[in-house]
Amino acid sequence: MGASWTPPRAPRGTADILPEQVHAWHRVERTAAELAERYGYRELRTPAFEALELFARGMGEGTEVVEKEMFLLAPSGRARVEAGPGEAPDAGPRAQAPAGGHGAGGAEPLALRPEFTAGVVRAYRQHGLDKTRGLLKVYSIGPLFRYERPQKGRQRQFHQVNLEALGTGDPRAELELIAFAQDLLGALGIPDFAVRLNSIGCAQCRPGYRERVRALLQPRRERLCANCRARLDRNAFRVLDCKLCAEHTADLPPMAEQLCAACAEHFAAVRAGLELLDVPYRIDARLVRGFDYYTRTVFEFPSGRLGAQDALGGGGRYDRLIPDMGGPELGACGLAFGIERLLLAMDPAATGSAAAEAAERARRAAAVYVAATPEPGPRAAALELVTELRRAGLEAEFDLAGKSLKAQLRAADKAGFGWVVIVGPEELARGEVALRQMAAGHQQRLPRAELLARLAPAVPLAARPAR
RNA sequence: GUGGCUGUAGCUCAACCGGUUAGAGCGCCAGACUGUGGCUCUGGAGGUCGGGGGUUCGAGUCCCCUCAGCCACCCCA
């Protein structure tokens, strides 16, 4: 041992969430979960990976994410070996994909989930919830994976809070989601809540609009960027999303003005609802979003604190997704927030290490450190005592590093323990312990049997052992 | 995938126009009449100067390549 092998770093675009950061994560996750429950959403946990096919069907084959950002999985180590060492590792996650139908008994290709919606709808269908429940309101919190170049507010493994209301076409479903968003950001202390809103129509009215855009843009095709020239044929609609070509597309008629009667009515209802709820919003005719499943309402929640990736969250309606997955003609909508982005937008005073340390010290003020002199007897007694205290419901700690008594005290002080119990040969012989109250600097001897009672005020009632 | 910036101890940073054993603060460990924290003092551990190659008598300092991080494009949470 002792060779100069250094382990690889955490993979690009991933991050370790260290104990002092977990404090802030918990705050976001708990706040979101509690709020979602209050809004009638219940937690659903789906797998971190699914059949690749599911995502292709859900988000759309031509989607950026499906086309080049998926993390493909080899179903087993064996499958990868069978794929052969000759396979050129052609950069990117696809290098590890099993050659179709090859290996692992022809298992279907799998992919790490790049979003929640597809898996949620899959679960809804798979368990027949469209039949037994109709309406299903669920939320999920967890990691998602996208093979992208990392930057501010963008990781390869990132985390979302996701809500979905499946089985309803009612515009009030979107409104409920937007109200939730407003409450969540408020609860997290993120200022300047705003909604960017648009309607992108439905299967009836969008194709016509798409053709119109194409017709209008065809004459100036050469002035568009390469990307948009390709989009013109595939999905002219997305040209609206391009910032490079913004000046050439500025005069296009907004989709929201080309809606069919049903979509127009729906959009009007959403807008009226926002006004009713007093939610500040702005129509953004360029908001189209990158997944094919969206219909009608789409929205985003921007923040000035984020940098280029300025959406804290977003979502919308996807009335075609359930039927496209073989289900009944039921509408649905959903929304997602990026947890990393929420953290970025929150006040550093609430998410920083100082806040975590303060929380840690507050908790430790009621905790006990059991210090012992170096002899075997006291050290064994410390183990026994610390276990007894823990079983009585107290947070208790002791030294595992072989520190001197002085160093143990120093450690206890630094960590903010409110109490230190000291055991040495003398106390041990008399069946006593020394109890030191750190803040006051008071110390007293007492019979070991009385220790728990003396510390009792610090013990939460519920944690006390039942008699 | 493309572009820009950055890369020296665990952390934040020094090191003049290339010149001797690469420094500081914080943190960590240990001591200050031998069983006791916070202050102070003293000492100590810890660096292949991201990696490789080149130029040079000599490179942390210059050049090339590479890797990583950050930011931006793109896309999105």
Side-chain angles (χ1 to χ4, degrees):
Chain A
M1 54 187 282
S4 58
W5 152 259
T6 48
R9 300 173 50 94
R12 178 161 227 203
T14 68
D16 297 311
I17 301 161
L18 299 173
E20 56 265 36
Q21 303 169 303
V22 164
H23 167 253
W25 279 75
H26 280 165
R27 179 163 167 215
V28 171
E29 290 164 354
R30 284 193 194 125
T31 303
E34 262 170 44
L35 197 60
E37 298 275 347
R38 202 192 298 170
Y39 271 75
Y41 288 74
R42 295 294 176 264
E43 186 173 5
L44 169 67
R45 302 190 186 194
T46 61
F49 59 89
E50 300 266 4
L52 171 62
E53 195 187 1
L54 180 74
F55 300 119
R57 280 287 172 80
M59 292 177 286
E61 302 274 3
T63 302
E64 199 90 6
V65 170
V66 169
E67 228 168 45
K68 43 190 220 188
E69 297 176 5
M70 301 293 286
F71 271 96
L72 269 6
L73 256 33
S76 76
R78 169 173 283 266
R80 201 159 74 199
V81 172
E82 284 175 3
E87 304 280 295
D90 54 88
R94 271 161 211 280
Q96 285 173 26
H102 188 120
E108 82 276 51
L110 300 171
L112 257 25
R113 42 137 94 137
E115 56 125 35
F116 276 116
T117 307
V120 171
V121 173
R122 193 223 81 232
Y124 177 74
R125 292 272 302 123
Q126 183 175 327
H127 299 100
L129 299 175
D130 50 341
K131 302 181 181 81
T132 59
R133 294 220 182 163
L135 179 65
L136 181 73
K137 302 206 305 186
V138 290
Y139 71 94
S140 305
I141 298 175
L144 289 320
F145 308 86
R146 256 119 94 159
Y147 188 81
E148 297 181 276
R149 197 81 176 265
Q151 71 183 72
K152 184 171 187 160
R154 192 170 79 183
Q155 284 84 4
R156 288 182 176 181
Q157 178 178 35
F158 61 103
H159 302 76
Q160 282 186 354
V161 171
N162 183 269
L163 311 212
E164 313 277 1
L166 305 176
T168 171
D170 194 314
R172 290 174 302 169
E174 289 102 297
L175 291 162
E176 172 180 85
L177 290 172
I178 292 172
F180 166 86
Q182 186 173 25
D183 289 356
L184 178 64
L185 298 191
L188 296 177
I190 297 172
D192 305 323
F193 179 78
V195 181
R196 272 204 292 256
L197 183 75
N198 196 17
S199 174
I200 58 172
C202 64
Q204 269 67 53
C205 48
R206 203 178 336 167
Y209 178 70
R210 197 179 287 152
E211 284 317 308
R212 230 183 123 182
V213 168
R214 188 177 309 178
L216 284 166
L217 254 27
Q218 208 57 254
R220 35 186 139 146
R221 185 190 181 86
E222 293 315 310
R223 279 189 259 163
L224 301 178
C225 70
N227 209 335
C228 284
R229 287 200 292 272
R231 281 170 174 158
L232 218 47
D233 305 318
R234 238 177 155 28
N235 189 355
F237 196 51
R238 286 245 183 78
V239 173
L240 288 175
D241 202 22
C242 183
K243 285 147 207 152
L244 292 175
C245 303
E247 54 171 316
H248 304 302
T249 58
D251 59 329
L252 292 177
M255 176 72 219
E257 289 170 16
Q258 312 288 318
L259 300 171
C260 63
C263 286
E265 190 188 334
H266 188 96
F267 194 39
V270 170
R271 298 183 60 173
L274 289 175
E275 271 142 39
L276 181 72
L277 295 176
D278 230 6
V279 174
Y281 72 96
R282 229 191 62 218
I283 304 285
D284 181 350
R286 313 217 140 238
L287 182 61
V288 293
R289 304 191 58 77
F291 300 148
D292 287 348
Y293 55 59
Y294 282 112
T295 56
R296 295 191 168 171
T297 320
V298 292
F299 48 80
E300 279 183 3
F301 310 102
S303 165
R305 300 206 193 183
L306 287 188
Q309 311 301 319
D310 76 336
L312 291 165
R317 176 159 285 286
Y318 44 93
D319 288 339
R320 292 308 310 159
L321 193 52
I322 295 173
D324 281 355
M325 292 212 179
E329 287 288 334
L330 288 173
C333 58
L335 117 190
F337 279 97
I339 296 180
E340 287 85 352
R341 292 188 186 178
L342 292 172
L343 258 8
L344 239 32
M346 284 167 69
D347 187 343
T351 59
S353 59
E357 200 183 316
E360 184 68 16
R361 293 191 74 86
R363 192 193 147 85
R364 283 271 163 81
V368 186
Y369 190 102
V370 181
T373 55
E375 303 82 3
R379 285 168 61 84
L383 170 64
E384 197 184 4
L385 258 175
V386 79
T387 303
E388 184 186 327
L389 294 171
R390 287 166 175 171
R391 289 182 175 161
L394 280 160
E395 178 177 334
E397 188 54 285
F398 69 138
D399 171 58
L400 292 172
K403 287 185 202 294
S404 68
L405 185 63
K406 183 201 226 4
Q408 290 176 59
L409 265 294
R410 206 182 350 233
D413 177 55
K414 191 147 56 68
F417 283 91
W419 304 88
V420 172
V421 171
I422 300 166
V423 204
E426 204 179 311
E427 287 86 351
L428 204 55
R430 298 196 196 178
E432 294 183 335
V433 294
L435 178 62
R436 185 171 180 81
Q437 197 173 358
M438 294 298 274
H442 291 152
Q443 184 167 327
Q444 65 177 133
R445 285 279 192 92
L446 70 169
R448 191 190 145 148
E450 286 173 24
L451 180 61
L452 244 165
R454 181 71 184 77
L455 291 169
V459 185
L461 273 176
R464 291 187 203 177
R467 279 195 300 143

